[in-house]
Amino acid sequence: MAQEGILTDFDSFRFSYESNLLKRIESKYGPVPLRDYAEAQNLLESRRRNLLGDAVEITQDLLPEVHGAYGQCLDLIGGGIGLKGRLFVQQSSEYNASVFASSDRFDVLIHSSLLNDFDIGRLKFVFGHELGHVVFGHSRFPVNDILANINGIPQDAAEMLLRWSRATEISADRIGMLCCGNLGNAACALFQTSSGLKEIDENRILRSFRKQYSDLEYHIKNVGTDNRYFRTHPMIPIRFKALELGSLDIIALRRQAAGFSWKGFQHIDRQIAFLLESLDIRG
Amino acid sequence: MELKQKGEEANVGGFNQLMVAMKWTTAADFDLAAAYETKDGQQGLIYFGELGDLNALPFMQLSGDEGQGDKGGDNEEILRITKLDDMNYVWLLCWDYGKIKDGSGARFKDSDVSLSVMDDKGTTHDVTLDTGDMGNVALIATIDNTSPIGAKLVNDSKAGTLKGLNSLQDLMDIISG
């Protein structure tokens, strides 16, 4: 059963590495320019026009189960702050979703392949991930615009921004995990997105991710390449590992179970930050 | 599900991860610990002196000693298990290290120690320590992962006495005794 507004302090749930990287960037290069309110509103309305024109809004009448699942995620995450946002679907065979927010208004877009191929538990992970970007305010930072002009900024600054961008995805994944309620759903959603394969047993997926993470970690730490880690999103096995390590605490928070404490959560968060930073430094 | 009495068990198969919370309110300096045996026969112990690792064998970690000082109140210690695949058994133990050092008995009988075991789907099993045995080490529950069908959580509730934590074998003798 969905609980309303389980999180009252989103910053405590945010991946600490994300906050720390932003502090480091700002202490070294000055404040990151935020998108101003008028620009954000304009972008939102422009995007909405396109969605109303080229996509289809998912309503209770059109797709009750999907709309209901999305509503449960909104209640769980945003019940306390009245989070509201529209959900659209657009035809595409690529597994992808996106969100743009301005203040408390936002629109989520998912591709039709997700609705066709993902079950409700996996869709909740996707919805939660996008809602995570909303509640953590990631749209305020026009990182893609800054990186589009990558030659105009110092390489070190660009790398730090990319590290920050990757860390924001880990924060968003946590909200996805909170919404879908177990590691299996989250891991299967990541696996399906990465591989395109359907109907693989959950335990095989978990074993596959664990092995591939170990291989990737070894490769990053021991094999030199000319390719620096220029990605806005973390590699999928790294996202899995961050979820795997944090999942018990996130589930305990969702269930209000014995064993959850913010102190314990922060302890795990620091371990994940240490792990990701060690990969960032060597990557 | 509640396992209040010694010998009660629950099939908890189908999970990959577990969070174990040991709670007590009575004034006692208890510690949560876990002994384990891997599928290839290796034995080990996770306790306040060896907190473990979530990302490498044994894929379990203690939160640290949070119930220090023989104080009453909401005492709690947490053990997280991120992967159980490689384990045959995990034995969940409670001890009073102060009493182990001098070989005296702990106050298990007068305590309200309980375990809450949550799996990775959020299902919780509560295990109550049900023993009048004298001792300073209590085996509260066993996670038996030897069956291909899935893991079993058993309320074992038995106690024994150690004088010093000299070898893992001493502890294993209590577990198997």
Side-chain angles (χ1 to χ4, degrees):
Chain A
M1 192 177 112
Q3 292 158 291
E4 291 207 351
I6 202 162
L7 280 174
T8 50
D9 177 7
F10 291 106
D11 266 336
S12 299
F13 199 62
R14 186 193 299 267
F15 185 26
S16 63
Y17 187 44
E18 178 198 327
S19 311
N20 290 337
L21 280 168
L22 190 62
K23 279 182 201 157
R24 281 190 239 170
I25 292 166
E26 296 199 322
S27 71
K28 196 165 179 184
Y29 301 103
V32 175
L34 298 179
R35 201 171 259 130
D36 71 38
Y37 180 77
E39 182 195 1
Q41 286 290 315
N42 190 40
L43 281 169
L44 182 78
E45 295 303 347
S46 173
R47 189 172 188 266
R48 181 166 291 172
R49 175 82 57 89
N50 289 334
L51 292 173
L52 288 168
D54 300 329
V56 172
E57 183 168 10
I58 295 176
T59 60
Q60 170 71 22
D61 182 51
L62 184 70
L63 283 170
E65 194 182 11
V66 173
H67 187 265
Y70 177 66
Q72 284 169 14
C73 294
L74 285 174
D75 288 344
L76 187 72
I77 302 307
I81 55 170
L83 197 62
K84 289 190 175 88
R86 295 163 82 169
L87 176 65
F88 292 86
V89 59
Q90 192 165 45
Q91 192 284 125
S92 174
S93 58
E94 186 189 2
Y95 292 147
N96 210 346
S98 60
V99 68
F100 184 80
S102 172
S103 190
D104 59 348
R105 299 175 66 217
F106 62 92
D107 294 315
V108 174
L109 172 67
I110 63 167
H111 287 180
S112 56
S113 52
L114 292 174
L115 291 187
N116 290 329
D117 296 345
F118 279 39
D119 66 21
I120 286 294
R122 295 170 199 187
L123 281 176
K124 282 185 176 177
F125 176 75
V126 176
F127 294 152
H129 177 94
E130 299 307 328
L131 295 177
H133 286 308
V134 175
V135 297
F136 290 129
H138 294 149
S139 295
R140 293 181 301 139
F141 299 92
V143 172
N144 288 338
D145 295 349
I146 297 170
L147 292 173
N149 184 29
I150 201 160
N151 293 329
I153 55 176
Q155 184 179 339
D156 183 44
E159 282 189 21
M160 292 281 273
L161 269 176
L162 286 164
R163 285 164 69 177
W164 174 82
S165 174
R166 293 194 293 269
T168 64
E169 299 299 325
I170 302 295
S171 294
D173 278 351
R174 288 181 176 178
I175 299 288
M177 179 83 182
L178 201 56
C179 285
C180 74
N182 69 63
L183 179 64
N185 282 331
C188 290
L190 290 177
F191 179 87
Q192 213 165 326
T193 303
S194 172
S195 69
L197 300 175
K198 294 183 275 185
E199 295 169 11
I200 307 283
D201 175 72
E202 182 181 307
N203 289 317
R204 288 175 193 267
I205 288 173
L206 294 173
R207 286 198 295 273
S208 163
F209 266 141
R210 284 176 182 138
K211 180 182 181 309
Q212 199 154 322
Y213 172 79
S214 296
D215 291 350
L216 176 62
E217 182 184 38
Y218 179 86
H219 199 274
I220 288 172
K221 291 183 174 175
N222 296 287
V223 181
T225 70
D226 291 335
N227 298 325
R228 294 289 295 168
Y229 196 12
F230 281 116
R231 299 166 155 267
T232 56
H233 284 57
M235 293 174 178
I236 294 274
I238 294 173
R239 288 174 69 178
F240 166 75
K241 182 53 70 176
L243 279 172
E244 184 188 40
L245 294 176
S247 64
L248 282 170
D249 289 76
I250 296 171
I251 293 161
L253 169 66
R254 179 186 159 112
R255 296 280 179 154
Q256 310 276 286
F260 179 80
S261 72
W262 285 107
K263 187 180 166 193
F265 182 75
Q266 285 155 8
H267 176 71
I268 291 295
D269 176 88
R270 283 194 296 274
Q271 290 189 52
I272 299 169
F274 178 78
L275 198 72
L276 262 68
E277 182 152 32
S278 74
L279 297 177
D280 270 345
I281 288 166
R282 290 179 174 91
Chain B
M1 182 172 181
E2 288 191 73
L3 306 179
K4 284 188 171 175
Q5 293 182 327
K6 180 173 178 167
E8 286 186 331
E9 59 185 50
N11 289 313
V12 290
F15 63 80
N16 291 286
Q17 302 193 319
L18 286 176
M19 177 184 269
V20 180
M22 184 178 84
K23 296 188 291 185
W24 71 100
T25 61
T26 45
D29 187 9
F30 290 143
D31 298 309
L32 174 62
Y36 61 86
E37 182 185 287
T38 64
K39 298 269 185 204
D40 59 7
Q42 283 183 64
Q43 292 181 334
L45 179 66
I46 299 300
Y47 69 114
F48 62 79
E50 175 55 64
L51 295 175
D53 193 328
L54 290 177
N55 203 30
L57 199 72
F59 297 99
M60 58 180 85
Q61 190 177 58
L62 266 174
S63 58
D65 191 356
E66 294 180 9
Q68 293 173 328
D70 211 9
K71 290 180 293 200
D74 291 328
N75 296 304
E76 185 173 75
E77 291 198 12
I78 307 294
L79 174 77
R80 295 175 181 82
I81 303 175
T82 50
K83 189 167 83 134
L84 197 66
D85 298 8
D86 302 326
M87 296 293 164
N88 264 341
Y89 297 99
V90 179
W91 295 283
L92 302 171
L93 303 155
C94 169
W95 67 44
D96 184 326
Y97 191 66
K99 305 293 183 190
I100 287 179
K101 281 194 285 192
D102 61 17
S104 60
R107 289 170 289 190
F108 292 128
K109 194 179 173 186
D110 304 322
S111 80
D112 57 354
V113 173
S114 68
L115 285 184
S116 169
V117 181
M118 187 200 77
D119 70 21
D120 52 18
K121 293 183 173 59
T123 306
T124 298
H125 301 270
D126 294 317
V127 186
T128 306
L129 179 60
D130 172 35
T131 180
D133 297 350
M134 290 297 292
N136 49 33
V137 179
L139 169 62
I140 303 179
T142 299
I143 300 167
D144 178 346
N145 193 36
T146 54
S147 167
I149 300 167
K152 225 169 28 177
L153 179 69
V154 184
N155 182 337
D156 274 311
S157 288
K158 62 181 170 186
T161 304
L162 289 179
K163 185 163 186 184
L165 196 58
N166 301 313
S167 75
L168 179 58
Q169 190 54 50
D170 293 342
L171 207 50
M172 297 309 290
D173 290 342
I174 290 175
I175 288 167
S176 58

